Amino acid sequence: MATRKSVAKPQRKTGVREAQAQASREAILRAATRVFAKYGYEGGSVEKISRAARSYDRMIYYYFGSKEGLFVAVLEDIYQRMDEAEAAIDLDMARPVEALTEVIRFVLGYYRANPHFITLLNTENLHKGRHIAKSLRAREYSSRAVAIIEQILASGAAQGLFRADLAARDIYLLIAATGYFYMSNRYTLTSFLGEPLESPEAARHWEDFVIETVLRTVRSDENNETTTPHEVSKWQQKPPPASRARSSSRT
């Protein structure tokens, strides 16, 4: 009597499907980053994002639940990318001055290289942070950045180079504020000051000034005289444009 041979059932290629799903989600996230940066939250419609991602509206709801869920994911993603890039910096904690200088150069350089980061944060600040407040991950990214600065400050204080009364959060805010404000207001400040703030020379000048400012802030009193004085760049030696304001005095 002939026996039947068992036919093996084809196995589902779950690994391939998972990779395709991840690629689809990533494409939507990248497209949403571009669209939200260009049109803002209100103008960045689901339809625009799905077209930019070459996907479908229903896939956005499938992966992210809602337009707001997608926007929160975009904000988390840009924070995470900066956090990972900063964590990859090779810092020598035994040389705190150099380490802190590298952190400052990284932050300001990252802002310049990723203008969409500034644009998206401006958008969220217009909404008073109501979307990112719903994130369960945002705080872990800032905490790592602050922790890096805390290690540098502790090393500097132990060597007698830095003040011992500094809060890492304050230094983090000082670095972020000087870099963020310069980039977020570069167009209006260029017109207001009559100086090309987007030029490479101007950006280098500001970076050097921020480094000097932060180092003077953190150095102990007996070490402050070792800070190299900031030099005025050639582009700043031009006389400022004449004011167009009318004088209220009568001749």
Side-chain angles (χ1 to χ4, degrees):
M1 185 173 179
T3 57
R4 294 182 179 178
K5 294 183 178 180
S6 60
V7 179
K9 295 181 180 180
Q11 295 181 350
R12 294 181 179 179
K13 298 182 179 179
T14 55
V16 174
R17 290 187 179 181
E18 288 176 0
Q20 290 175 340
Q22 182 61 32
S24 176
R25 186 183 186 280
E26 186 70 15
I28 292 173
L29 195 59
R30 298 280 76 76
T33 300
R34 297 192 302 271
V35 171
F36 283 134
K38 184 176 182 179
Y39 298 101
Y41 180 75
E42 286 81 6
S45 64
V46 168
E47 293 78 11
K48 287 177 182 175
I49 295 170
S50 60
R51 284 199 303 270
R54 297 182 180 179
S55 184
Y56 303 94
D57 294 359
R58 68 175 184 274
M59 300 308 296
I60 291 177
Y61 296 108
Y62 176 76
Y63 289 119
F64 301 98
S66 64
K67 174 183 170 180
E68 183 182 41
L70 176 56
F71 187 59
V72 171
V74 166
L75 294 174
E76 289 179 339
D77 183 66
I78 63 172
Y79 272 120
Q80 180 179 358
R81 287 176 178 273
M82 183 176 182
D83 180 69
E84 291 174 349
E86 186 172 17
I89 305 174
D90 187 16
L91 298 174
D92 184 356
M93 294 298 177
R95 303 177 65 188
V97 174
E98 290 79 2
L100 187 56
T101 298
E102 283 301 310
V103 169
I104 297 169
R105 290 194 190 282
F106 165 79
V107 172
L108 272 62
Y110 193 90
Y111 289 164
R112 291 196 301 270
N114 298 273
H116 65 274
F117 183 88
I118 301 295
T119 303
L120 288 166
L121 293 189
N122 284 344
T123 296
E124 179 59 358
N125 277 294
L126 287 174
H127 289 272
K128 299 183 179 180
R130 75 164 186 252
H131 304 107
I132 196 63
K134 298 178 182 179
S135 170
L136 300 177
R137 302 168 57 194
R139 183 169 294 182
E140 69 184 65
Y141 301 138
S142 64
S143 63
R144 189 188 307 189
V146 173
I148 290 174
I149 294 177
E150 189 171 23
Q151 293 178 52
I152 296 172
L153 295 178
S155 175
Q159 297 180 43
L161 298 173
F162 294 169
R163 292 162 46 192
D165 61 340
L166 295 167
R169 170 185 165 277
D170 292 340
I171 302 305
Y172 167 79
L173 285 174
L174 176 59
I175 297 169
T178 51
Y180 185 91
F181 180 84
Y182 187 96
M183 280 298 295
S184 65
N185 293 273
R186 62 194 183 281
Y187 300 118
T188 51
L189 286 173
T190 291
S191 297
F192 182 73
L193 298 175
E195 299 170 354
L197 296 189
E198 281 201 290
S199 71
E201 186 179 10
R204 285 193 300 270
H205 171 88
W206 182 247
E207 182 178 275
D208 290 342
F209 182 76
V210 173
I211 290 171
E212 179 196 341
T213 300
V214 175
L215 290 181
R216 284 187 179 276
T217 300
V218 303
R219 283 187 185 274
S220 60
D221 291 339
E222 59 269 24
N223 285 284
N224 246 325
E225 65 273 7
T226 62
T227 303
T228 303
H230 183 70
E231 296 181 359
V232 177
S233 298
K234 292 180 180 178
W235 68 275
Q236 277 200 319
Q237 294 174 355
K238 301 175 183 178
S243 173
R244 296 180 182 178
R246 294 181 179 177
S247 173
S248 59
S249 61
R250 296 181 180 180
T251 56

